[in-house]
């Protein structure tokens, strides 16, 4: 400002100096009043051009440039604020809303004009709404201690009265000697739902882990019991084998599928069988093909004997013991006894 005034003073001084020099020759020709009027008119005429081009125009050009820069910066800032996905609301020290972005409008369901000029407590609920003005009044301690600059979780209220979880961060700024506050808000509904789903999944995974652990423990106990059972079965099988070998009678055992399961040495010697003629799990039909084995079939063919045995298995609940005497080659007679046992 001092430079501007100095430039104006220099222009006026120089113009007045030239005018006074020019009018000095006419001071006796015109009355003093006329000279004063001529002096003022010439001063205005000669000083106007230099003052405009040297003082006023540069100042106006500079002001226009600054104004365009400020408008450009404001436009960029506005575009950035509008592009932010979080809702942004600015309020004054009394809680009156001054600016909002599109995200804030969508967040609360208000149109732009419905929010500007309203108290920010229209966006709040519960204790936050009731005490917000008090928070602003006691800003120096209350707000700074509670929410300024930090992410605070509270409940927001939309235009349709619905309540939703909200996170807000507040920053203070000095504008024209006053205080303004910028609130950046984010809807936590989706985040809370996701967190709740994660908690449910954790609970389900923990439940599954416990089930797997219990099943594993049961499996281990079962395997231990099975091992003990196998030992018992082996012991019993050895005991039965010892009985079969010491009974003094020939014993031949087929399972329910009519596969050879067991025999004793007495039967092998009685029927004059060779070890290479039979094997475990041999079918009854293959076993009956051995010539020396056919002597206990009586008058039945191997096919009829197999069919007869299958019928007896089906009717074992009615009768499970069959016996007949059979003459062998050489005049030897044996008693053939067939027992159908439960599986």
């Amino acid at each position: 400002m001092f430079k501007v005034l100095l430039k104006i003073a220099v222009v006026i001084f120089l113009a007045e100096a030239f005018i006074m020099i020019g009018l000095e020759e006419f001071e006796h020709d015109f009355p003093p009043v006329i000279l004063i009027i001529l002096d003022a008119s010439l001063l205005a005429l000669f000083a106007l051009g230099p003052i405009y081009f040297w003082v006023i125009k540069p100042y106006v050009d500079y002001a226009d440039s600054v104004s365009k820069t400020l408008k450009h910066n404001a436009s960029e800032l506005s575009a950035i604020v509008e592009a932010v996905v979080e809702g942004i609301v600015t309020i004054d020290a009394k809680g009156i809303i001054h600016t909002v972005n599109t995200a804030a409008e969508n967040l609360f369901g208000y149109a732009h004009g419905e929010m500007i000029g309203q108290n920010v407590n229209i966006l709040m609920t519960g204790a936050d709404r009731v005490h917000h003005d008090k928070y602003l009044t006691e800003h120096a301690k209350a707000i700074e201690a509670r929410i300024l600059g930090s992410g605070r979780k509270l409940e927001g209220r939309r235009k349709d009265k619905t309540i939703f979880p909200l996170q807000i961060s507040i920053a203070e700024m000095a504008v024209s000697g006053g205080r303004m506050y910028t609130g950046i808000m984010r809807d936590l509904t989706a985040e809370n739902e996701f967190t709740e789903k994660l908690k449910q999944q954790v609970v389900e995974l923990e439940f599954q882990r416990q089930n797997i652990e219990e099943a594993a423990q049961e499996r281990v106990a079962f395997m231990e019991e099975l091992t003990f059972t196998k030992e018992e079965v082996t012991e019993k099988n050895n005991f039965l084998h010892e009985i079969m070998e010491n009974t003094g009678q020939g014993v031949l055992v087929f399972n329910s599928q009519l596969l050879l399961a067991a025999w004793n040495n007495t039967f092998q010697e009685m029927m004059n069988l060779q070890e290479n003629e039979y094997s475990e799990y041999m079918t009854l039909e293959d076993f009956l093909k051995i010539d020396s084995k056919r002597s206990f079939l009586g008058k039945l063919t191997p096919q009829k004997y197999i069919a007869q045995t299958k019928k007896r298995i089906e009717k074992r609940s009615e009768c499970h013991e069959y016996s007949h005497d059979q003459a062998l080659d050489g005049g030897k007679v044996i008693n053939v006894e067939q027992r159908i046992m439960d599986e």
Side-chain angles (χ1 to χ4, degrees):
M1 181 60 68
F2 175 77
K3 290 183 178 180
V4 173
L5 293 177
L6 181 61
K7 288 181 179 181
I8 294 175
V10 169
V11 171
I12 293 175
F13 175 80
L14 293 175
E16 181 64 19
F18 285 116
I19 291 171
M20 290 180 67
I21 294 173
L23 291 178
E24 185 177 1
E25 298 180 359
F26 302 99
E27 62 179 348
H28 300 293
D29 299 332
F30 298 98
V33 175
I34 299 299
L35 291 176
I36 293 173
I37 294 174
L38 286 173
D39 188 345
S41 300
L42 292 172
L43 177 62
L45 180 63
F46 291 145
L48 180 62
I51 290 176
Y52 173 76
F53 287 104
W54 192 38
V55 179
I56 296 177
K57 188 176 184 304
Y59 180 80
V60 171
D61 291 343
Y62 175 74
D64 288 342
S65 175
V66 171
S67 177
K68 290 179 180 179
T69 300
L70 290 176
K71 289 181 180 179
H72 177 72
N73 292 341
S75 177
E76 286 186 346
L77 180 61
S78 177
I80 293 172
V81 171
E82 288 298 320
V84 174
V85 296
E86 286 84 4
I88 299 178
V89 177
T90 60
I91 62 174
D92 59 23
K94 295 181 180 180
I96 303 302
I97 299 174
H98 283 242
T99 63
V100 296
N101 67 346
T102 302
E105 297 173 18
N106 297 333
L107 183 62
F108 291 97
Y110 286 97
H112 184 272
E114 294 176 316
M115 300 177 71
I116 302 301
Q118 297 294 323
N119 194 292
V120 72
N121 61 21
I122 66 171
L123 310 179
M124 301 179 179
T125 183
D128 294 304
R129 183 182 184 188
V130 174
H131 299 296
H132 183 265
D133 292 338
K134 181 179 178 181
Y135 290 161
L136 290 175
T137 303
E138 300 175 356
H139 161 76
K141 294 183 179 180
I143 291 185
E144 291 181 358
R146 292 173 182 266
I147 58 177
L148 190 59
S150 62
R152 182 189 182 196
K153 293 182 180 180
L154 48 82
E155 289 183 333
R157 188 180 69 158
R158 295 190 174 94
K159 181 180 179 181
D160 61 4
K161 311 301 181 183
T162 57
I163 307 302
F164 64 99
L166 183 70
Q167 183 178 41
I168 180 171
S169 298
I170 297 179
E172 179 189 6
M173 55 186 176
V175 179
S176 301
R179 285 175 175 171
M180 297 287 289
Y181 303 95
T182 300
I184 301 176
M185 292 161 283
R186 182 165 59 93
D187 189 351
L188 296 178
T189 302
E191 181 177 324
N192 289 353
E193 291 177 353
F194 179 73
T195 301
E196 187 62 28
K197 288 181 179 179
L198 284 180
K199 290 180 180 179
Q200 292 178 359
Q201 290 179 358
V202 169
V203 172
E204 292 176 359
L205 289 174
E206 177 62 20
F207 179 74
Q208 293 177 5
R209 185 195 66 79
Q210 292 178 356
N211 288 343
I212 292 173
E213 184 176 345
E214 291 175 359
Q217 292 176 352
E218 292 177 356
R219 183 68 175 175
V220 171
F222 173 76
M223 293 301 294
E224 291 177 351
E225 182 179 351
L226 183 61
T227 302
F228 180 71
T229 302
K230 285 183 177 180
E231 293 176 354
E232 287 185 334
V233 170
T234 301
E235 184 178 349
K236 290 180 179 180
N237 285 341
N238 292 336
F239 179 71
L240 292 175
H241 181 72
E242 185 176 352
I243 293 176
M244 287 176 58
E245 291 299 334
N246 295 285
T247 186
Q249 298 178 350
V251 179
L252 182 67
V253 180
F254 285 87
N255 61 21
S256 58
Q257 285 78 38
L258 298 182
L259 300 177
L260 182 59
W263 62 90
N264 65 358
N265 292 330
T266 303
F267 179 83
Q268 181 178 344
E269 294 171 359
M270 182 183 298
M271 305 307 296
N272 194 26
L273 295 174
Q274 303 298 321
E275 290 186 1
N276 60 358
E277 292 182 301
Y278 58 92
S279 62
E280 191 174 3
Y281 300 116
M282 175 185 287
T283 64
L284 177 59
E285 182 178 2
D286 290 337
F287 186 83
L288 294 179
K289 291 179 180 179
I290 302 174
D291 292 340
S292 60
K293 184 70 177 63
R294 294 178 181 174
S295 57
F296 69 84
L297 297 183
K299 298 180 180 180
L300 297 176
T301 63
Q303 290 74 17
K304 289 184 178 181
Y305 181 81
I306 293 173
Q308 182 189 73
T309 301
K310 289 182 178 179
K311 288 182 180 180
R312 288 177 176 178
I313 292 175
E314 294 175 358
K315 297 181 179 182
R316 63 179 178 272
S317 59
E318 300 176 5
C319 180
H320 63 277
E321 289 191 16
Y322 302 89
S323 177
H324 70 275
D325 293 334
Q326 179 67 38
L328 300 180
D329 295 338
K332 187 177 181 180
V333 178
I334 62 172
N335 179 262
V336 179
E337 182 177 332
Q338 186 182 64
R339 293 185 181 183
I340 311 298
M341 305 175 65
D342 292 331
E343 297 184 20

